[in-house]
Amino acid sequence: MSKEYLLLDKIEGPLIFLSRAEDVSYGEVIDITLDDGNKRRGRVIKIDKDAIVAQIFEGSSGFSVVNSSVRFSGKPFELPMSKEILGRTFNGIGEPIDQGGNIFSKDVYNVNGRPINPVARKYPRNYIQTGISSIDGLATLIRGQKLPIFSGNGLPHNEIAAQIVKQANISEKEGEEFAVVFAAIGVKHDDADYFRKTFEESGVLERVVMYINLANDSIVERVMTPRCALTAAEYLAFEKNMHILVIMTDITSYCEALREISSAREEVPSRKGYPGYLYSDLASIYERAGMMKHKGGSITFLPILTMPNDDITHPVPDLTGYITEGQIVLSRELFQQNIYPPISILPSLSRLMKDGIGEGFTREDHPDVANQIFASYSKVQDIRALAQIIGEDDLSELDNLYIKFGRLFEEKFIRQDFDDNRSISETLDLAWDMLSQLPKEELERIDPEMLGKYYQGKSGK
Amino acid sequence: MIELKGIITMVNGPVLKATSMTGFKMREMVMVGGKKLIGEVIALEGDRGTIQVYEETEGLKSGESVISTGKPLSLKLGPGLIGNIFDGIERPLLEINSVSEGFIPEGIGLLSIDTEKKWKVCITVKENDVLREGQCFATVEETSLILHKVLVPQGMSGKVIEKKEDGFYNIEETLLVIEDDEGKMYPLRLSHEWPVRTPRPVKERLPISSLLVTGQRVLDIFFPVAKGGTAAIPGGFGTGKTMTQHQLAKWSDADIIVYIGCGERGNEMTEVLEDFPKLIDPKTGKSIMERTILIANTSNMPVAAREASIYTGITIAEYYRDMGYNVAIMADSTSRWAEALREISGRLEEMPAEEGYPAYLPSRLAEFYERAGYIKTLNDQEASITIIGAVSPAGGDFSEPVTENTKRYVNAFLGLDKKLAYARHYPAINWLNSYSGYVKMLGNWYEKNVNEDVLELRAKMIRILHEENKLQEIVQLVGEDVLPDDQRLILEISRVLRIGFLQQNAFHKDDTFVPLIKQYKMLKCIELLYDKAHLTIKKGVPISKVKNEMLFGEVTKMKYTVSNDDLSEIDKISEKIVQYYDDLIKEYG
C-alpha cells in the first residue's frame, strides 16, 4: 500500500510542487485523485531532497493545494503494446479515445525508449517511391530515413503528407507488413480530421495507429505524444518486423509546449526563450527512426513543422535540420503561383539519397540528373534576379533559354496533381525533357556517356 | 582506499546533487545509485556536491548512494583502440551491443578496451637498461598499419630488474618491472590509465612546417591545414560539414584518425562503420579503418557523455602522438559539445553569458584547440595532432558565440556557404570568407614538395576569384554583355576555376582524392588558359572567339578525364591551348 500525499506546496501552470515525499524516483508516474473523484496522471520531473516537482498530463485546472491526493506508482511512464493497436486511436498519453477499450498486454515499454546503439543500426539504402517527382527525383526518401517537411502556415503540407501515405510503397516486398503511425501534436480538429479521412480513403485505416493531441488539449500530454507514437512505431518495427511510416504534425507546437513547461520551471532560456536542451530533446525523438541489423522492420519518419513567419533560421526548423537527414522545404512563392506541390527544391535535401539512388536502385542517370537540375535551377534564380533589373528583353539568348527551362521545370516537373502517381522512370524522363531545353554544353554535371544516351535537345553550336 | 558514500538529494536530468560528499574530489569519477551509473563530480561546496551523470537518470531516487572510485574520469590506453568504436567515455559499443542487443542500456558499468585479448608483444629493452618516462619498451603490431609502441608511463623510470620473454600477453599482464633510484618498483604493462581532462606532457613544441595533405583541392592549395594545426569548418545544416569531415578522415595523410561524432546522427556513424573498412588508403594500400578510431555520442545519447567525448578523443589522440605518429582529429560537431556545456550549466543554474552559453565557453574551447600542435615527444620524436572541428552555427549565422569564439583559437577557417550548397557545389567552402593562417608557414614545404611558384599561383587565382566577385555585382545589375572583353574573360576563367577546380566530386573514383601534383598541374593549366586568352584579347580578338567551348570544356572536365596516375594528358591540353591561341593571334594578326 503506497502512501498518499494530501497537501501540495504550489501549483504553477501544469506543474505541482510537493514536499516530504519519500522514496520517489526520477521520472516516475504519479496518480492524482481530486476530491470530486476526477483522476489525473503526472510524472516526476525534478527531485530536490524530499521536495518534488511533477507535471500533470491533463493540466492542473481544478487543483487546489488541499483537494487532491497524490500517489506514487513507482514506475516510469510505460505503455502496453500489442498488435491490437493497429487501427486504434489514442490520446496524447496513449489512452484509447475510440470505442475499442483498453489495450491489454504484458509487454510494456518505457515511452522514452533507449538510444539505438550506432553499431546496431543498419544504414538505410533502399528508396521509397512516393510518386512525387520533386521528392523522388531530387530529395529521394529512403526507407528508415527521417525527412521533415518544413512548411508554413496555410501551405499544403498536409496534402503532401497525405499523398505520400497514399502512394508510397512503404513495405519492401510483397507480403511484408506495413503500418502508419500518426501523431497529431497540438493541431486543429480540421487537420486531424483531414488525415483520418485520407487514411480512410486510401484504405489503410485499419493499419493506422493514431495518437491525437489537439490544439486545445493539455500541453504536458503534448510533450508525451510523439514519445507514445514512437514507442508504438518501435514496437511494430523492431518487435513485429513491420515497415512503419511515422507522420507527425506539428513539431513547432511540440517545441512551444516544451518552452511553456520550461518557463514554468523557471529554467534559463536560450534562443527565443526555448530551453537549452531543445536540441537533445528533439534528437531523442528524431533519432528513434531508422533500421537495425537483425531486425526486419524499419521506421521512416516524416515530421511536419511550420516555420514561424516562414523563417528557416527559427530555432525549431534550425535544430531539426541539424538532426534530421535532410528536409523538404515548401515555398510560399510557388504556392502563390498555384503550383502544387510547392516544393522549393534548392533548400530541399535528402542526405541519404546518395547511397540509395543510381544504378541498382533507381536508374544509372539519377545522381547526375539531380545534380544538374540543382545547378541549372540555381542559375535560373540568378538570371531571374537579373531580369528583374534589366528586363527579359535584354537577356542573352542563353539566359532566355534558362528562363524558359525554369518556367517549364516549375510547370511540368514540380507541378503535379494530387492523384498523379509518377514512377521513377517517368520522373527521370521528365527531367531529361526539361534539361533538353538547355544546350548540351551547359550540362556540365552529367557524365558525357549519359548525355549521349538520354539527351534529346540539340547541341548549342 | 576507503570507499566514500554520498547521498543523493536532487535529481534534475543529467545533474545530481548529493550530501555527505566530504572527501570526494573535484572531477572524481563516481558510481551513482543501485544501477551504478557512471558520473563525475563537477562542483563541491561544504559537504554537498554536484555530479553529472553519463547515463540516463530516470528511476534514480533521492536517498540513493553515490560511491567514490578515488580516481578522476580516466581512459584505459593500450592496444585495441584502433578500428574500434567507443561511446563518449571509451566504452566499446560493439561489446555493449553484445551485452544488450540493439539499444544502449544503463548501468553496464565501466567497460573499456578488451582485457582478454592476447597481443603478440616484442620487448625492445634488456635487463639492466635504464628507462625514462615516455620511452618505448615494447612493440605490438596493433593493425597491419600501426605499430603500437608501448611507452613507460609518466612518473615512472628506473632500471629494468625483471623482464618477460617476447610472446603473447594481454593488456593487464606485467611485462617488465623497473626500479628507480629510491628502490621503488614499478610493474609495466601494455596498458595504463590517463585522466581525460589532463593534457599528456611533451618535451617541446616545434614550429609548424608541413602540410596535412588531404587530396581536396580547395584545401591543399587554397586554404591549407598544417600538420599540428587547427581548423574550423562552420556551416548551417545541409552545407556538407559531415561530408567534408568524412572526406578528410578518409584521405588525409595523417597516420591515425580519431573521428568524434559528437551529438550528431546515428546513421552517420553507421555509415562510417560500413564504408571505412571498404576504403583503401592511397598511401598504404590498406583499409583506412586500420588507422581510424571512432568515438560516438549520437544526439540521443546522454548529454553529459557528449561533454566528455571531446576529451576522450583528444586524450586517445595524444596517446598515439606520444608514440611518434601524426594524428588528426575530426570533431563533428563542436557546437553540440558547447551545447552540452550550456545544458549542464543551465541545470546548475549558473549565470549565463551570451545566448545562454556559460561564461567559461571561450576558455574551454581554447583548452581544447590548444591541445593540437607539432611537438617533440618525451622520446625525442617529432609528432603532431591536428584538430579539425566542425561548427554548427544556429541559423547558419557565423556571428553566434561558438563560431565567434572558435575563430579566435583556430588558424584555418573554412566557412561553408548555403548558396553554394544549394547549387550542389561541394565542398561548399566559400573562397571569399575562408582563410588559412598556414599559407606562409608552409611556403618552404610547397617549394620543396611541389613547386616554388605554388603560393604565387594561389595568390593569382584568388585575385581572379575576388575580381569575379566584384564583377558579379555589376553583372547582377546590368548583365554580362556590357562588360569589356577582358572582364568577361575573368568571369569565364572563374567559372572554370569554380567548376573545374574548386568543386570536387566525392563520389567519383578519381576526383575524390587528388594527388597534390595533379592539383598543381591542373591549376597551372588553368593559369595558362587565362594568360593565353588574356594576351589574345589584348591583341584585339573578340571574346566570342577567345572563349572556345571545346577548349574551356576540356579544361573544366580534366578533373574527370585525366586519371590520377597519368598526368601527361594535362600537358596535351596545355599544348592544345598554346596551339589554339597562337593560331588565333596569327589569324587576327
Side-chain angles (χ1 to χ4, degrees):
Chain A
M1 182 65 208
S2 60
K3 275 189 188 166
E4 279 180 43
Y5 296 87
L6 299 173
L7 187 68
L8 302 182
D9 292 348
K10 183 167 129 184
I11 306 166
E12 192 175 319
L15 306 181
I16 60 167
F17 298 70
L18 88 160
S19 52
R20 289 193 298 282
E22 286 168 15
D23 205 28
V24 179
S25 58
Y26 183 67
E28 94 176 84
V29 168
I30 57 172
D31 295 300
I32 306 116
T33 313
L34 298 185
D35 55 359
D36 57 2
N38 204 332
K39 282 187 192 300
R40 308 265 174 103
R41 285 208 291 165
R43 185 166 167 260
V44 176
I45 55 170
K46 187 174 175 182
I47 304 176
D48 194 353
K49 298 196 188 80
D50 65 349
I52 69 137
V53 182
Q55 51 187 15
I56 309 302
F57 296 142
E58 295 88 347
S60 57
S61 66
F63 276 61
S64 85
V65 292
V66 291
N67 74 345
S68 52
S69 102
V70 178
R71 207 190 277 270
F72 292 88
S73 70
K75 283 190 202 138
F77 189 52
E78 293 171 327
L79 285 182
M81 284 294 157
S82 81
K83 265 188 136 177
E84 301 299 309
I85 58 172
L86 287 171
R88 301 290 307 276
T89 306
F90 303 90
N91 68 6
I93 49 171
E95 295 166 345
I97 48 172
D98 52 9
Q99 308 305 319
N102 284 330
I103 299 292
F104 293 102
S105 169
K106 56 182 190 319
D107 298 333
V108 289
Y109 293 87
N110 187 330
V111 294
N112 286 323
R114 274 175 168 163
I116 301 181
N117 191 330
V119 304
R121 278 184 189 270
K122 185 156 88 192
Y123 192 70
R125 290 183 197 273
N126 297 324
Y127 93 110
I128 294 181
Q129 181 175 307
T130 64
I132 298 172
S133 288
S134 29
I135 296 178
D136 289 349
L138 303 168
T140 318
L141 181 64
I142 305 289
R143 179 169 295 111
Q145 184 175 23
K146 37 190 181 292
L147 189 65
I149 298 177
F150 285 11
S151 183
N153 296 311
L155 295 179
H157 42 265
N158 290 345
E159 283 82 349
I160 294 172
Q163 191 172 358
I164 292 174
V165 170
K166 209 169 59 162
Q167 299 178 347
N169 53 343
I170 305 164
S171 61
E172 193 162 15
K173 298 179 214 92
E174 286 285 316
E176 282 184 317
E177 285 192 284
F178 75 95
V180 177
V181 172
F182 173 72
I185 309 168
V187 298
K188 300 187 291 266
H189 278 89
D190 307 351
D191 292 336
D193 284 344
Y194 175 81
F195 275 102
R196 186 196 302 275
K197 218 176 90 217
T198 316
F199 296 142
E200 220 168 298
E201 280 168 6
S202 38
V204 291
L205 198 56
E206 72 282 6
R207 317 211 122 261
V208 178
V209 192
M210 283 195 262
Y211 290 85
I212 307 282
N213 170 276
L214 296 170
N216 54 354
D217 287 341
S218 133
I219 58 151
V220 181
E221 263 188 44
R222 191 163 304 159
V223 173
M224 301 312 292
T225 310
R227 296 192 161 79
C228 293
L230 285 162
T231 305
E234 277 179 359
Y235 171 78
L236 294 172
F238 301 136
E239 304 286 331
K240 296 292 162 207
N241 297 328
M242 295 171 76
H243 291 289
I244 308 296
L245 178 67
V246 180
I247 293 185
M248 242 175 230
T249 176
D250 170 344
I251 298 292
T252 309
S253 312
Y254 170 81
C255 295
E256 274 161 7
L258 210 60
R259 174 167 68 177
E260 196 174 330
I261 293 169
S262 168
S263 96
R265 292 175 70 177
E266 296 172 357
E267 292 172 330
V268 180
S270 71
R271 273 174 82 210
K272 296 214 170 166
Y274 289 97
Y277 49 79
L278 184 61
Y279 179 82
S280 308
D281 191 279
L282 283 174
S284 72
I285 293 175
Y286 294 135
E287 277 288 324
R288 289 171 80 171
M291 298 176 85
M292 285 165 78
K293 287 174 190 151
H294 315 301
K295 314 233 176 187
S298 65
I299 300 178
T300 310
F301 190 6
L302 217 58
I304 298 169
L305 60 88
T306 47
M307 300 182 278
N309 200 20
D310 294 348
D311 176 11
I312 199 167
T313 65
H314 183 276
V316 176
D318 190 47
L319 294 180
T320 297
Y322 277 122
I323 307 165
T324 54
E325 285 137 355
Q327 62 277 336
I328 291 170
V329 183
L330 303 192
S331 138
R332 198 164 294 279
E333 206 189 317
L334 286 176
F335 179 64
Q336 280 159 352
Q337 290 169 36
N338 205 14
I339 289 173
Y340 171 88
I343 294 174
S344 177
I345 64 154
L346 292 180
S348 296
L349 168 76
S350 163
R351 290 168 188 271
L352 300 183
M353 164 174 179
K354 60 182 172 32
D355 296 308
I357 62 168
E359 211 170 347
F361 297 102
T362 53
R363 209 168 80 181
E364 46 172 3
D365 55 329
H366 192 166
D368 284 5
V369 166
N371 238 324
Q372 184 62 55
I373 287 190
F374 284 121
S376 302
Y377 191 65
S378 124
K379 189 154 182 194
V380 170
Q381 306 303 319
D382 290 344
I383 295 171
R384 280 182 182 166
L386 175 64
Q388 295 247 313
I389 298 163
I390 63 170
E392 279 197 26
D393 299 343
D394 287 341
L395 290 179
S396 70
E397 203 181 318
L398 181 65
D399 286 355
N400 269 316
L401 283 177
Y402 268 103
I403 294 278
K404 192 172 154 216
F405 160 77
R407 209 163 28 225
L408 265 174
F409 178 75
E410 284 160 7
E411 292 290 335
K412 294 252 161 72
F413 187 89
I414 298 186
R415 186 202 288 277
Q416 181 169 0
D417 281 343
F418 181 68
D419 39 25
D420 185 2
N421 189 353
R422 295 182 191 155
S423 75
I424 185 70
S425 46
E426 280 176 295
T427 292
L428 289 173
D429 289 345
L430 199 56
W432 277 107
D433 282 351
M434 303 297 120
L435 289 174
S436 299
Q437 301 296 323
L438 296 172
K440 210 170 186 175
E441 299 76 32
E442 288 296 304
L443 307 181
E444 285 150 337
R445 304 279 180 100
I446 300 182
D447 196 294
E449 202 181 307
M450 304 285 166
L451 266 182
K453 194 163 164 192
Y454 294 99
Y455 183 76
Q456 306 134 20
K458 51 185 186 310
S459 204
K461 298 246 156 57
Chain B
M1 193 198 79
I2 317 149
E3 193 177 81
L4 298 166
K5 206 178 223 180
I7 296 158
I8 299 175
T9 57
M10 186 204 90
V11 186
N12 181 3
V15 174
L16 303 181
K17 287 200 169 144
T19 56
S20 314
M21 296 280 289
T22 320
F24 279 78
K25 296 188 217 61
M26 269 299 271
R27 296 290 175 191
E28 177 174 346
M29 188 165 60
V30 293
M31 304 282 187
V32 177
K35 282 185 177 170
K36 294 211 184 311
L37 307 178
I38 294 164
E40 183 182 14
V41 179
I42 54 171
L44 288 167
E45 186 188 349
D47 74 335
R48 284 168 301 156
T50 308
I51 296 147
Q52 61 178 3
V53 182
Y54 294 125
E55 300 179 68
E56 175 57 50
T57 52
E58 191 177 74
L60 277 182
K61 291 177 183 176
S62 171
E64 284 194 90
S65 58
V66 176
I67 300 165
S68 72
T69 62
K71 58 186 182 192
L73 180 66
S74 306
L75 301 182
K76 183 165 274 178
L77 299 169
L81 288 163
I82 294 180
N84 222 330
I85 177 166
F86 299 95
D87 77 353
I89 50 174
E90 208 212 6
R91 298 188 300 182
L93 287 170
L94 281 164
E95 203 168 314
I96 293 177
N97 201 40
S98 63
V99 176
S100 150
E101 196 182 321
F103 299 92
I104 298 175
E106 306 91 46
I108 41 174
L110 200 63
L111 305 165
S112 183
I113 46 176
D114 194 345
T115 52
E116 305 285 314
K117 180 167 177 177
K118 300 270 189 187
W119 295 93
K120 185 167 185 265
V121 183
C122 178
I123 295 171
T124 55
V125 295
K126 299 187 298 292
E127 254 173 81
N128 293 326
D129 280 0
V130 178
L131 302 183
R132 20 181 193 82
E133 58 182 24
Q135 196 175 336
C136 171
F137 67 87
T139 57
V140 170
E141 197 175 299
E142 188 172 357
T143 68
S144 61
L145 281 181
I146 301 298
L147 185 70
H148 195 106
K149 297 171 195 155
V150 192
L151 309 179
V152 180
Q154 216 212 342
M156 300 182 191
S157 59
K159 199 164 73 179
V160 180
I161 55 169
E162 211 183 300
K163 166 182 173 286
K164 288 241 174 84
E165 290 308 309
D166 289 2
F168 288 86
Y169 299 99
N170 70 29
I171 60 167
E172 303 287 15
E173 284 169 281
T174 303
L175 301 173
L176 287 185
V177 179
I178 56 174
E179 184 184 19
D180 68 9
D181 301 343
E182 285 144 29
K184 206 170 163 204
M185 293 203 274
Y186 304 97
L188 301 184
R189 309 182 177 85
L190 280 182
S191 67
H192 68 275
E193 294 199 353
W194 189 265
V196 289
R197 293 179 200 278
T198 317
R200 291 171 65 90
V202 297
K203 188 167 252 173
E204 59 177 322
R205 287 180 84 94
L206 301 173
I208 274 169
S209 58
S210 60
L211 174 76
L212 182 78
V213 181
T214 64
Q216 311 302 307
R217 289 183 293 259
V218 62
L219 292 178
D220 287 355
I221 298 226
F222 279 74
F223 306 106
V225 181
K227 287 209 176 86
T230 47
I233 308 180
F237 61 82
T239 49
K241 288 181 298 298
T242 302
M243 264 313 289
T244 310
Q245 291 273 36
H246 280 191
Q247 282 298 93
L248 295 180
K250 285 173 189 169
W251 306 122
S252 61
D253 72 340
D255 300 314
I256 294 192
I257 302 284
V258 179
Y259 193 98
I260 312 170
C262 176
E264 290 289 307
R265 304 173 183 90
N267 275 333
E268 283 171 0
M269 296 316 291
T270 313
E271 186 186 358
V272 171
L273 282 173
E274 287 190 11
D275 283 359
F276 277 29
K278 290 182 227 148
L279 290 167
I280 301 299
D281 178 32
K283 206 175 56 173
T284 56
K286 296 278 165 54
S287 156
I288 57 170
M289 203 60 197
E290 300 204 356
R291 58 156 199 185
T292 308
I293 300 161
L294 300 171
I295 313 284
N297 176 281
T298 57
S299 56
N300 55 344
M301 282 156 80
V303 73
R306 190 166 311 156
E307 193 266 339
S309 65
I310 289 279
Y311 295 103
T312 300
I314 191 113
T315 304
I316 292 176
E318 286 178 342
Y319 175 62
Y320 281 97
R321 175 202 64 190
D322 291 348
M323 298 177 202
Y325 289 114
N326 291 310
V327 186
I329 297 187
M330 320 288 150
D332 184 17
S333 145
T334 57
S335 292
R336 304 299 161 226
W337 171 66
E339 279 163 16
L341 286 179
R342 172 168 76 182
E343 183 169 340
I344 290 161
S345 161
R347 305 252 189 199
L348 294 172
E349 292 169 1
E350 291 172 337
M351 181 73 85
E354 271 176 286
E355 290 196 21
Y357 286 103
Y360 47 77
L361 174 70
S363 60
R364 292 286 170 89
L365 280 169
E367 278 172 26
F368 170 61
Y369 283 107
E370 282 298 297
R371 283 173 84 167
Y374 200 86
I375 58 103
K376 189 181 266 182
T377 66
L378 295 177
N379 206 15
D380 286 322
Q381 281 180 299
E382 285 189 18
S384 69
I385 291 185
T386 313
I387 300 182
I388 299 163
V391 183
S392 319
D397 170 14
F398 287 179
S399 66
E400 57 92 43
V402 182
T403 319
E404 268 305 314
N405 286 309
T406 302
K407 259 180 143 169
R408 291 166 54 203
Y409 305 114
V410 298
N411 246 334
F413 181 83
L414 310 163
L416 298 180
D417 190 289
K418 211 166 207 163
K419 198 156 176 275
L420 290 173
Y422 281 179
R424 302 311 190 255
H425 173 115
Y426 292 121
I429 294 172
N430 183 328
W431 49 89
L432 298 171
N433 69 7
S434 298
Y435 58 80
S436 164
Y438 297 114
V439 177
K440 282 234 168 60
M441 295 182 209
L442 294 173
N444 282 334
W445 190 92
Y446 281 118
E447 217 164 280
K448 222 165 76 196
N449 293 283
V450 193
N451 201 305
E452 53 210 9
D453 68 345
V454 175
L455 294 190
E456 219 174 291
L457 182 65
R458 170 186 183 272
K460 184 167 173 185
M461 292 300 146
I462 287 196
R463 229 174 12 249
I464 292 178
L465 288 167
H466 278 264
E467 174 102 27
E468 184 224 7
N469 183 51
K470 268 186 260 161
L471 292 176
Q472 283 294 356
E473 280 168 26
I474 303 172
V475 171
Q476 289 285 315
L477 292 175
V478 294
E480 203 177 310
D481 293 349
V482 297
L483 293 180
D485 279 357
D486 59 338
Q487 293 191 343
R488 288 187 64 183
L489 179 66
I490 296 269
L491 297 182
E492 294 297 343
I493 288 292
S494 300
R495 203 170 127 105
V496 174
L497 263 176
R498 280 192 277 125
I499 298 170
F501 193 84
L502 295 170
Q503 190 183 316
Q504 192 164 346
N505 187 345
F507 305 111
H508 189 278
K509 63 173 176 31
D510 278 329
D511 208 32
T512 183
F513 170 87
V514 183
L516 207 50
I517 189 70
K518 181 177 172 191
Q519 301 185 21
Y520 170 73
K521 287 196 119 184
M522 283 171 74
L523 204 55
K524 270 309 247 195
C525 184
I526 295 172
E527 188 200 23
L528 179 75
L529 180 68
Y530 174 70
D531 286 346
K532 283 285 170 192
H534 190 71
L535 188 78
T536 318
I537 281 180
K538 285 284 168 229
K539 300 252 183 211
V541 183
I543 184 90
S544 56
K545 281 279 172 213
V546 170
K547 198 207 158 199
N548 178 287
E549 293 287 356
M550 278 280 292
L551 210 52
F552 273 65
E554 214 165 312
V555 174
T556 310
K557 289 231 156 94
M558 69 185 159
K559 61 178 178 178
Y560 296 140
T561 52
V562 178
S563 90
N564 286 345
D565 341 300
D566 181 17
L567 302 180
S568 59
E569 286 294 320
I570 297 184
D571 299 330
K572 281 186 203 147
I573 296 174
S574 301
E575 279 163 30
K576 270 193 219 167
I577 293 172
V578 174
Q579 186 71 39
Y580 177 79
Y581 287 107
D582 285 353
D583 290 352
L584 204 59
I585 290 175
K586 258 184 229 146
E587 194 183 318
Y588 276 78

